[in-house]
């Protein structure tokens, strides 16, 4: 069966769903193809944190992209909830970053200074304990980030997809894309397990699997993240709590999400006893009374990572009609609303901001630099 859409979007994670939503909103006829279920990979595993300050090395284009997304999300989530009936559970909770030794306290100071917009405020230990009375007694310094927050990642993806459907998009689950259809260089559709789909443009949003579908070297690899969910105890945590690589996120259902490992494990997405034990030890050390609460579960997902840890968003060189939006690594949930809008503008031939060049997949197309 051959079907025609203006745009085929490959991959039903939070990025593909956001792209389908943005394109449908801009009037395109969209078909989203997902090989399994929506949000069944990284986007189903994510903690849903929105941390442009915690996840950026300093002020710059990447952090501004994150801040813009954070600023847009209240309106976006309200629109998605209203149209799709799915609540992304946006919480403007703030985030508390803590340190237990002198080196970690110095790192927090450096982080605050790296963001001259005043997004991070220094707190002493007593003020940090006022915010989170259950903190480990060794905590000696903290940063408070009032603007950051979190969503339920799978719900955000479902809400984008549901809204895209309300706007006329077709969302097809169980459709594996095997390859591109080309006329000369131009990409004009995809071959799928359900037949050929012709389209004027194709956007590959296949996360860690994107390199299989793009006719250029696209160095995106899976980086496994394991995560656990616990019952919270009283008094409930109200903000996100972060210490180095460990974080705790209080969800509306009374759970605390505790993450996350960062591992090179290929495409193996099982949680392991070693990974879970490490997370539990770190979490219970930071908030000691967690040791006595209930254990709800553990899972893992594969973050799509590029060598420079930055997304690849834009047209694919040498393949007119083909676009990629992948490689969002630790921040795909946060960056999703702006990613959708940027790709929709590019696909529909509207202007896009100059700073997006820094994230073009073309940065991987040239020959590797010669060794000295
Ligand atoms: C433990 C963990 C915690 C995280 N926490 C956060 C967080 O707090 N905040 C944040 O912003 N980000 C977080 N992330 C990162 C975030 O999950 C990712 O950046 C984001 O989910 C990437 O979305 P995606 O749509 O690109 O990829 P995915 O969610 O992996 O989706 C790709 C989709 O493409 C489909 N697909 C692949 N190949 C094909 C094909 N050939 N045909 C059809 N479909 C195909 C797959 O089935 C999959 O559904 C976390 C990740 C992990 C693992």
């Amino acid at each position: 069966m051959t079907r025609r859409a203006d745009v085929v979007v490959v991959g039903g994670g939070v990025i593909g769903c956001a792209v389908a939503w943005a394109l449908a909103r801009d009037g395109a006829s969209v078909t989203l193809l997902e090989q399994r279920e929506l949000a069944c990979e990284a986007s189903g595993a994510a903690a849903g944190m929105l941390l442009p300050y915690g996840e950026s090395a300093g002020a710059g284009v990447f952090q501004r992209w994150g801040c813009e997304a954070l600023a847009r999300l209240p309106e976006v989530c309200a629109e998605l909830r209203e149209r799709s009936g799915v609540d992304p559970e946006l919480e403007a909770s703030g985030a508390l970053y803590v340190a237990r030794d002198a080196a970690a306290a110095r790192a927090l100071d450096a982080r605050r200074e790296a963001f001259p917009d005043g997004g991070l405020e220094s707190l002493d230990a007593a003020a940090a304990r006022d915010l989170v009375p259950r903190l480990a007694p060794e905590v000696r310094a903290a940063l408070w980030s009032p603007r950051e927050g979190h969503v339920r990642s799978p719900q955000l993806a479902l809400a984008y997809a549901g809204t895209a459907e309300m706007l006329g998009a077709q969302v097809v689950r169980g459709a594996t894309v095997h390859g591109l259809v080309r006329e000369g260089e131009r990409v004009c559709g995809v071959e799928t397990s359900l037949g050929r789909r012709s389209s004027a443009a194709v956007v590959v949003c296949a996360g860690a699997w994107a390199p299989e579908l793009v006719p250029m070297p696209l160095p995106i690899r899976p980086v496994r993240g394991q995560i656990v969910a616990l019952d919270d105890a009283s008094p409930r945590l109200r903000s996100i709590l972060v210490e180095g690589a460990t974080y705790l996120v209080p969800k509306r259902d009374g759970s605390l999400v505790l993450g996350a490992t960062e591992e090179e494990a290929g495409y193996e997405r099982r949680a392991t006893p070693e990974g879970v034990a490490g997370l539990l030890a770190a979490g219970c050390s930071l908030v000691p009374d967690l040791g006595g609460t209930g254990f709800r579960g553990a899972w893992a997902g594969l973050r799509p990572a590029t060598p420079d840890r930055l997304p690849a968003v834009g047209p694919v060189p040498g393949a007119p009609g083909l676009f990629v939006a992948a490689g969002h690594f630790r921040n795909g949930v946060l960056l999703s609303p702006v990613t959708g809008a940027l790709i929709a503008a590019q696909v529909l031939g509207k202007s896009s901001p100059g700073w997006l060049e820094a994230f073009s997949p073309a940065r991987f197309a040239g020959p590797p630099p010669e060794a000295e």
Side-chain angles (χ1 to χ4, degrees):
M1 179 180 57
T2 302
R3 309 239 344 214
R4 187 161 182 93
D6 288 350
V7 190
V8 161
V9 177
V10 183
V14 74
I15 296 299
C17 294
V19 166
W21 161 71
L23 280 162
R25 218 161 80 126
D26 285 353
S29 156
V30 182
T31 300
L32 172 70
L33 302 174
E34 162 54 45
Q35 63 185 353
R36 295 168 57 215
E37 283 297 324
L38 300 178
C40 63
E41 295 289 352
S43 307
M49 294 181 296
L50 312 168
L51 302 182
Y53 293 92
E55 289 287 333
S56 310
V61 282
F62 181 71
Q63 195 244 353
R64 282 205 299 279
W65 181 354
C67 283
E68 190 183 329
L70 184 62
R72 278 198 204 178
L73 272 162
E75 198 183 322
V76 167
C77 287
E79 178 199 326
L80 299 180
R81 194 178 55 233
E82 193 178 316
R83 285 189 186 255
S84 70
V86 180
D87 188 351
E89 297 189 11
L90 174 67
E91 298 283 352
S93 62
L96 184 69
Y97 298 83
V98 300
R100 284 194 260 189
D101 60 37
R106 279 196 300 277
L108 288 188
D109 280 341
R111 178 159 288 280
R112 178 177 46 74
E113 284 165 16
F115 299 103
D117 68 353
L120 298 173
E121 303 160 14
S122 287
L123 293 185
D124 62 20
R129 207 153 283 111
D130 281 347
L131 281 172
V132 182
R134 295 155 58 200
L135 267 183
E138 310 83 40
V139 166
R140 55 190 283 169
L143 289 180
W144 172 238
S145 174
R147 298 180 208 162
E148 295 181 319
H150 59 96
V151 290
R152 272 276 185 190
S153 172
Q155 258 121 293
L156 179 61
L158 295 178
Y160 282 130
T163 305
E165 279 184 303
M166 296 294 290
L167 294 167
Q170 195 193 6
V171 176
V172 187
R173 298 155 175 87
T176 304
V177 173
H178 296 305
L180 302 170
V181 180
R182 301 184 78 165
E183 276 169 12
E185 285 198 323
R186 174 156 286 282
V187 172
C188 52
V190 290
E191 298 288 359
T192 85
S193 52
L194 303 178
R196 178 175 288 194
R197 300 267 167 159
S198 309
S199 61
V202 173
V203 189
V204 173
C205 306
W209 295 266
E212 295 169 13
L213 295 169
V214 178
M216 65 166 280
L218 186 64
I220 294 179
R221 66 181 201 288
V223 173
R224 185 168 67 187
Q226 300 189 42
I227 201 160
V228 303
L230 310 173
D231 291 332
D232 202 356
S234 183
R236 287 212 58 201
L237 231 65
R238 283 200 298 272
S239 62
I240 297 170
L241 183 58
V242 185
E243 182 189 36
T246 305
Y247 54 74
L248 286 158
V249 191
K251 296 295 181 184
R252 270 192 211 167
D253 64 358
S255 67
L256 261 189
V257 169
L258 162 61
T261 64
E262 210 177 290
E263 304 159 81
E264 303 287 342
Y267 285 88
E268 174 56 67
R269 71 165 95 62
R270 273 182 302 189
T272 63
E274 195 179 15
V276 170
L279 291 172
L280 292 175
C284 295
S285 150
L286 183 57
V287 179
D289 66 13
L290 281 182
T293 65
F295 180 81
R296 291 199 183 188
W299 61 90
L302 302 176
R303 304 179 186 93
T306 59
D308 57 16
R309 300 166 72 102
L310 299 174
V313 173
V316 174
L322 182 63
F323 299 79
V324 65
H328 291 72
F329 192 39
R330 296 173 60 97
N331 291 290
V333 182
L334 168 65
L335 300 175
S336 61
V338 177
T339 301
L342 290 168
I343 279 283
Q346 289 187 325
V347 170
L348 300 175
K350 299 181 189 162
S351 65
S352 51
W355 59 260
L356 192 56
E357 275 301 301
F359 304 97
S360 167
R363 71 188 189 274
F364 302 117
E370 276 179 32
E372 300 208 344

